[in-house]
Amino acid sequence: IPQTTQKSKGILSGEERGAESTAVNTNPAIHTPEEQAVIDEYQAAVDDSILSFINKWEKLQNPDYKRKIRMQIGEVTERAVQDVRRLTGIDVTGFEHSISGGALEHIENRHGKDGKADRSMTDRNDLARIGYVLAHYDNVELLNRTSNEHRGADGKQAELIQFRKKVNGTYYVVEAVPDSKAKQMRVVSAYMAKENGIADQVLNMPQSGPQLTPKAPVDAHDSVSSHSIPQTTQKSKGILSGEERG
């Protein structure tokens, strides 16, 4: 797995990478210049370390290790720190986004080439752009669900939040926010939809997937941040087991 800096992580310009495959319609004739600029940026944001992680995960034979293996996607931006604190009351300063083999399994089963919900994540390059969505999201909201799989240091089920980024349709990333010493926001699901996504569809998971618990309704929790998109630097990435990361 390559170490840091945007180039070494594989976030390269279109000229350097060529036209990366994607489920997104990239035809400039049907988009405004502003929309096309976002699409071009998105298309160039494939992270090779995530692709390597997916390839490693696919080849693993031990089902327990395959579910627990995890990698860091990148640091939580200051903008996201503020949004998460406002939505959940949890201070995620210094936290990182991470994704596990269990999350990959869920995404493949629900949104992969034979997905039970849709096939929006059939192209692995789209999943490898998840870091771009988390760093440059348009909206974030608190969901009316909690996670049984991810818990805070106090044993409470982690809150779930959903990031959204419009890219000729909308890319959704659902994360658990456990308040624990691991300091990780953990991807639960990711998918794309032409119109506004329905959280219940994404979170209507089979018993084999991450288990979620409905909670009492919360006050208006949709957050449309007016902050400008920061230029962020991400930490070194690594593929770590559940035992190594906690």
Side-chain angles (χ1 to χ4, degrees), residues 9 46-47 55 65 68 74 78 113 124 143 171 198 211 216-217 229 236:
K9 286 189 304 171
V46 173
D47 189 329
N55 291 335
Y65 180 72
K68 290 181 178 179
E78 180 55 36
K113 63 180 180 180
R124 295 299 173 83
L143 298 180
Y171 192 131
I198 301 173
Q211 297 302 298
I229 302 298
S236 299

Side-chain angles (χ1 to χ4, degrees), residues 100-121:
S100 69
L104 289 179
E105 181 181 8
H106 164 74
I107 293 167
E108 183 174 84
N109 289 342
R110 296 285 293 172
H111 311 292
K113 63 180 180 180
D114 297 314
K116 296 176 182 177
D118 58 60
R119 298 180 180 179
S120 62
M121 285 294 165

Side-chain angles (χ1 to χ4, degrees), residues 3-5 9 72-75 94 96 233-237:
Q3 300 299 314
T4 57
T5 78
K9 286 189 304 171
Q72 301 164 10
I73 298 171
E75 290 183 6
E96 293 178 336
T233 301
Q234 296 183 336
K235 284 187 179 178
S236 299
K237 302 179 183 217

Side-chain angles (χ1 to χ4, degrees), residues 184-238:
Q184 290 187 355
M185 291 175 58
R186 294 177 174 170
V187 172
V188 172
S189 187
Y191 76 113
M192 290 189 287
K194 292 295 183 182
E195 303 297 335
N196 289 333
I198 301 173
D200 285 344
Q201 172 192 339
V202 177
L203 302 178
N204 183 21
M205 299 179 181
Q207 291 300 310
S208 60
Q211 297 302 298
L212 309 175
T213 303
K215 64 179 183 180
V218 295
D219 293 331
H221 48 247
D222 191 47
S223 168
V224 181
S225 176
S226 60
H227 300 290
S228 61
I229 302 298
Q231 298 302 313
T232 59
T233 301
Q234 296 183 336
K235 284 187 179 178
S236 299
K237 302 179 183 217

Side-chain angles (χ1 to χ4, degrees), residues 17-244:
R17 294 202 60 93
E20 295 285 4
S21 61
T22 176
V24 170
N25 188 330
T26 60
N27 182 3
I30 64 172
H31 302 295
T32 66
E34 292 78 12
E35 290 171 340
Q36 190 61 43
V38 172
I39 290 170
D40 289 346
E41 188 176 59
Y42 170 80
Q43 192 173 13
V46 173
D47 189 329
D48 285 339
S49 64
I50 296 178
L51 288 178
S52 295
F53 177 71
I54 295 171
N55 291 335
K56 176 183 175 72
W57 170 78
E58 286 181 326
K59 296 174 183 177
L60 293 174
Q61 299 300 314
N62 184 306
D64 186 57
Y65 180 72
K66 187 173 184 177
R67 181 177 59 83
K68 290 181 178 179
I69 190 173
R70 190 182 310 145
M71 77 165 288
Q72 301 164 10
I73 298 171
E75 290 183 6
V76 177
T77 65
E78 180 55 36
R79 175 186 176 219
V81 168
Q82 295 177 21
D83 284 338
V84 172
R85 182 186 294 118
R86 182 173 66 254
L87 292 170
T88 70
I90 298 173
D91 182 4
V92 295
T93 301
F95 278 44
E96 293 178 336
H97 300 286
S98 70
I99 188 167
S100 69
L104 289 179
E105 181 181 8
H106 164 74
I107 293 167
E108 183 174 84
N109 289 342
R110 296 285 293 172
H111 311 292
K113 63 180 180 180
D114 297 314
K116 296 176 182 177
D118 58 60
R119 298 180 180 179
S120 62
M121 285 294 165
T122 298
D123 192 320
R124 295 299 173 83
N125 283 329
D126 285 318
L127 185 52
R129 296 179 175 101
I130 194 170
Y132 170 82
V133 175
L134 291 170
H136 301 280
Y137 61 91
D138 296 327
N139 312 77
V140 59
E141 64 181 340
L142 180 67
L143 298 180
N144 188 33
R145 297 286 190 277
T146 57
S147 171
N148 282 342
E149 180 179 5
H150 303 294
R151 295 173 180 263
D154 58 2
K156 291 183 179 178
Q157 296 174 356
E159 301 278 6
L160 291 171
I161 61 175
Q162 180 174 254
F163 294 93
R164 293 179 285 181
K165 178 67 179 178
K166 187 174 181 181
V167 189
N168 184 45
T170 305
Y171 192 131
Y172 296 83
V173 182
V174 178
E175 286 194 315
V177 191
D179 189 3
S180 68
K181 63 181 181 181
K183 292 193 172 184
Q184 290 187 355
M185 291 175 58
R186 294 177 174 170
V187 172
V188 172
S189 187
Y191 76 113
M192 290 189 287
K194 292 295 183 182
E195 303 297 335
N196 289 333
I198 301 173
D200 285 344
Q201 172 192 339
V202 177
L203 302 178
N204 183 21
M205 299 179 181
Q207 291 300 310
S208 60
Q211 297 302 298
L212 309 175
T213 303
K215 64 179 183 180
V218 295
D219 293 331
H221 48 247
D222 191 47
S223 168
V224 181
S225 176
S226 60
H227 300 290
S228 61
I229 302 298
Q231 298 302 313
T232 59
T233 301
Q234 296 183 336
K235 284 187 179 178
S236 299
K237 302 179 183 217
I239 300 176
L240 304 178
S241 70
E243 290 76 17
E244 289 173 310

